[in-house]
Amino acid sequence: MNSSLSQSQLLSRQNANQLLDSIEAFLFDCDAFLIYDNCTEQVSFGRAISSSMASLRHSTSYDQRHSFSPFPGKKLVFVTNNSTKSRKQYADKFLSLGISVSEDEIFSSSFAAAMYLQLINFPKHKKVYVIGEQGILEELQLAGFTALGGPQDSSTETDTSILTSIGYSVFEPPVFLYHRGWSSCVVGLDQYINYYKLQYGTLCIRENPGCLFIATNRDAVGHMTDLQEWPGAGCMVAAICGSTQKEPIVVGKPSNFLMEFLLKKFDISCSKMCMVGDRLDTDILFGQNAGCRTLLVLSGVTTQSALEDPSNKTQPEYYTSTLSDIFDLMT
Amino acid sequence: MNSSLSQSQLLSRQNANQLLDSIEAFLFDCDAFLIYDNCTEQVSFGRAISSSMASLRHSTSYDQRHSFSPFPGKKLVFVTNNSTKSRKQYADKFLSLGISVSEDEIFSSSFAAAMYLQLINFPKHKKVYVIGEQGILEELQLAGFTALGGPQDSSTETDTSILTSIGYSVFEPPVFLYHRGWSSCVVGLDQYINYYKLQYGTLCIRENPGCLFIATNRDAVGHMTDLQEWPGAGCMVAAICGSTQKEPIVVGKPSNFLMEFLLKKFDISCSKMCMVGDRLDTDILFGQNAGCRTLLVLSGVTTQSALEDPSNKTQPEYYTSTLSDIFDLMT
């Protein structure tokens, strides 16, 4: 084993069960290895879950009426930086895999954005502009905020009527005069990003004094399919940093905001929680920042060579090849 | 006058003519105050030019057969960070204002990108992916490079056929498998930016070892109209920095590359050149980095309060309200 791995232990039956005995809750990342959207058939964790569910169905500890609980007596919480879905959409997705998870057990960065605004008592009547997808809009609106933009602006046409009416001969890009009065701009992954949204968000932040710039997360890329990495929210957030020359408030992993919110909600001390995920820069760092136990799974974004790279400074407490190892070794 | 302006002198008839006597060439920025695309009727510099042209037509020094030369014996060079147009398109634009400027006197950041690749002997057969507009494609192709992307990908549809053919059930965003073999990605202002282009550029840079990441410039915003600031190339460049976690080679202002190229081309020493522009962070810095004389015009991006702000560290040698002052005071 490479010396840089000296701080991380390969998960074994012995240390896995020691870990299990010493914690009260698992925080599971669900992005890269739990749900690949419609590609679930191809996903190793999808298979692991199915296989685990199959054995659980035969075990006495499993009760179909209750939430998914492969580790009796342990709390399971799902944490995701994917802001494109709301918690409800995630719960539906879990259910489509045959796993019953309550919305209260799901913490998405879209929900975190809404909770952040709630925590700072952001006035409900003030406008929030969204560069992102349905998940952010849904969570903000569910929390009672006046959220606009997002999917509504994905195919917004040029409106040059005002400029031409005052004598301007305008050229092609869209023209905006309606950005006054926005008090917050929330930016997340947006697969329908366009110049209109970038312009609107830029104007909101640059021209409304005190307008908040909130990022759901800054993941550079995500594994939406097994085959390739795709630009993540970090791409859209950086674009707005580039045009506004401002830095955002980050509410998703690895920021402390989400963890503090979780701790208040569940009243479990950090040392009794184990963060399980496939990313060093978000999942493992998120757990470590809060003083949680950490377990890296190598079946997602982080490869063994990236973990062993001398430049890597983030070492999880444990690591294992696939998520199914955890079920195999702990049960 | 604010003490922070102590290094900058307001342009007067006396110092303007001293400056004129001591230089051989003017480098004029053309972005914010020369050409506002089709909005030329509204632009103060458009008016200044028209007015200057009107007086020049009556003066003996003006010859319609030759290039625009309001200062006899002085070379005039136009330098722009706007990459959306090629030099030819700029020359046509000047001509539409009644000003004859040779393409050889125009240095756009689109041209700079092509010249950079030429300088490093980038192989002509290797592929260059463009996130940007027609100007970049035109200049790269004119220099003989294999440039693709840009406007061609502005409305590219999702192609999921390959993934579905191998059993993947894909979701909505476009899927790319063709990014191998790209050796350079040039990023500039793109008003038709979309997730397809961001994804393609990201893959080119992340997955082709040694692939160059070239930025035409990093201007945060631009004044495409008098009314509002619009996200500039800095927005698209930052997006790619965000998804690739890499920093670009910048070829436009204020980088030294463009200045070194200009110096070789015209064989004039830097101290005999005066950079005239409306931006501290590009124009004035560009001039100062090279040891040129500098003159800031306050009719564009930089306001008097921004110039006087204690946080501003870039002080031009001279400043004046409008470009027409230069013509009035120097002629």
Side-chain angles (χ1 to χ4, degrees), chain A residues 39 42 163 168-169 171-174 176 179 191-192 195 199 206 220 224 226-231 235 238-239 242-243, chain B residues 39 163 168-169 171-174 176 179 191-192 195 199 206 220-221 224 226-231 235 238-239 242:
Chain A
C39 305
Q42 304 290 328
L163 278 195
Y168 266 78
S169 165
F171 76 127
E172 292 181 43
F176 315 97
H179 61 279
Q191 297 159 77
Y192 308 94
Y195 194 66
Q199 163 71 344
R206 286 178 70 102
M224 292 190 210
D226 268 355
L227 290 181
Q228 288 178 332
E229 287 174 326
W230 307 64
C235 179
S243 57
Chain B
C39 304
L163 278 196
Y168 266 77
S169 164
F171 75 128
E172 293 182 41
F176 314 96
H179 62 279
Q191 297 159 75
Y192 307 95
Y195 194 66
Q199 163 71 344
R206 286 179 71 103
V221 288
M224 293 189 209
D226 267 355
L227 290 180
Q228 288 178 332
E229 287 174 328
W230 307 63
C235 179

Side-chain angles (χ1 to χ4, degrees), chain B residues 24 54 59 129-130 159 175 179 227 235 273 275 282 324 330:
Chain B
E24 292 177 25
S59 76
Y129 186 71
V130 174
D159 176 8
V175 169
H179 62 279
L227 290 180
C235 179
M273 287 187 180
M275 177 70 213
T282 53
S324 55
M330 289 188 182

Side-chain angles (χ1 to χ4, degrees), chain B residues 8-12 15-16 19-20 23 26-29 33 71 273-280 283-285 287-288 292-298 307 315-327 329-330:
Chain B
S8 298
Q9 290 180 51
L10 180 66
L11 201 67
S12 66
N15 63 23
L19 176 64
L20 188 64
I23 61 167
F26 280 103
L27 304 181
F28 272 97
D29 165 57
F33 58 107
F71 308 112
M273 287 187 180
C274 180
M275 177 70 213
V276 185
D278 69 323
R279 282 173 176 265
L280 292 169
D283 302 324
I284 301 306
L285 199 60
Q288 287 181 341
C292 295
R293 317 291 295 268
T294 53
L295 169 52
L296 177 76
V297 180
L298 293 170
L307 175 66
Q315 292 293 332
E317 189 177 353
Y318 300 103
Y319 70 99
T320 192
S321 299
T322 66
L323 204 68
S324 55
D325 296 344
I326 305 175
F327 295 95
L329 295 170
M330 289 188 182

Side-chain angles (χ1 to χ4, degrees), chain A residues 58-134:
Chain A
H58 293 288
S59 78
T60 50
S61 64
Y62 182 75
D63 184 338
Q64 286 206 347
R65 291 166 304 178
H66 292 94
S67 285
F68 176 58
S69 180
F71 310 112
K74 309 295 177 188
K75 184 90 190 152
L76 252 69
V77 178
F78 294 89
V79 186
T80 174
N81 264 358
N82 188 339
S83 63
T84 64
K85 288 187 171 51
S86 62
R87 288 167 304 149
K88 183 177 182 315
Q89 287 173 299
Y90 261 108
D92 291 346
K93 196 77 201 172
F94 276 104
L95 206 60
S96 75
L97 291 169
I99 306 167
S100 170
V101 176
S102 152
E103 286 177 37
D104 285 344
E105 294 164 326
I106 301 167
F107 293 82
S108 60
S109 62
S110 51
F111 176 62
M115 290 304 98
Y116 179 82
L117 290 176
Q118 201 164 70
L119 193 81
I120 63 166
N121 294 316
F122 186 83
K124 295 288 165 76
H125 67 279
K126 288 197 173 179
K127 290 188 290 181
V128 184
Y129 187 71
V130 174
I131 295 178
E133 301 192 18
Q134 196 58 35

Side-chain angles (χ1 to χ4, degrees), chain B residues 17-230:
Chain B
N17 283 292
Q18 281 169 354
L19 176 64
L20 188 64
D21 289 344
S22 64
I23 61 167
E24 292 177 25
F26 280 103
L27 304 181
F28 272 97
D29 165 57
C30 21
D31 297 336
F33 58 107
L34 174 57
I35 299 178
Y36 274 30
D37 273 89
N38 298 324
C39 304
T40 46
E41 291 305 303
Q42 304 290 327
V43 179
S44 55
F45 187 60
R47 286 194 292 268
I49 288 280
S50 305
S51 142
S52 304
M53 291 302 291
S55 37
L56 284 165
R57 282 195 182 96
H58 293 287
S59 76
T60 50
S61 64
Y62 182 75
D63 184 340
Q64 287 204 347
R65 291 166 306 179
H66 292 93
S67 285
F68 178 56
S69 178
F71 308 112
K74 309 296 176 187
K75 183 89 189 152
L76 252 69
V77 178
F78 294 88
V79 185
T80 174
N81 264 358
N82 187 339
S83 64
T84 63
K85 288 187 172 53
S86 62
R87 288 166 304 150
K88 183 178 181 313
Q89 287 173 302
Y90 261 108
D92 291 346
K93 195 76 200 175
F94 275 103
L95 206 58
S96 75
L97 290 170
I99 307 168
S100 169
V101 176
S102 151
E103 285 177 37
D104 285 344
E105 293 163 327
I106 301 168
F107 293 82
S108 60
S109 62
S110 50
F111 176 61
M115 289 305 98
Y116 179 82
L117 290 176
Q118 200 163 72
L119 193 80
I120 63 166
N121 293 317
F122 186 83
K124 295 289 166 76
H125 68 279
K126 288 198 172 176
K127 290 188 291 182
V128 185
Y129 186 71
V130 174
I131 295 178
E133 301 192 19
Q134 197 57 36
I136 302 177
L137 270 191
E138 266 190 42
E139 290 293 352
L140 289 174
Q141 288 167 351
L142 201 64
F145 294 109
T146 312
L148 295 160
Q152 296 159 0
D153 286 345
S154 291
S155 56
T156 303
E157 293 292 322
T158 302
D159 176 8
T160 58
S161 55
I162 289 189
L163 278 196
T164 49
S165 72
I166 56 170
Y168 266 77
S169 164
V170 292
F171 75 128
E172 293 182 41
V175 169
F176 314 96
L177 294 169
Y178 313 108
H179 62 279
R180 301 280 177 198
W182 295 85
S183 301
S184 181
C185 178
V186 176
V187 184
L189 174 61
D190 193 331
Q191 297 159 75
Y192 307 95
I193 189 72
N194 59 26
Y195 194 66
Y196 184 100
K197 294 181 189 179
L198 292 170
Q199 163 71 344
Y200 214 113
T202 300
L203 285 173
C204 288
I205 296 167
R206 286 179 71 103
E207 303 203 7
N208 291 299
C211 180
L212 299 173
F213 171 19
I214 297 170
T216 58
N217 64 301
R218 300 195 74 163
D219 295 20
V221 288
H223 270 193
M224 293 189 209
T225 67
D226 267 355
L227 290 180
Q228 288 178 332
E229 287 174 328
W230 307 63

Side-chain angles (χ1 to χ4, degrees), chain B residues 228-244:
Chain B
Q228 288 178 332
E229 287 174 328
W230 307 63
C235 179
M236 292 81 208
V237 171
I240 296 296
C241 292
S243 57
T244 62

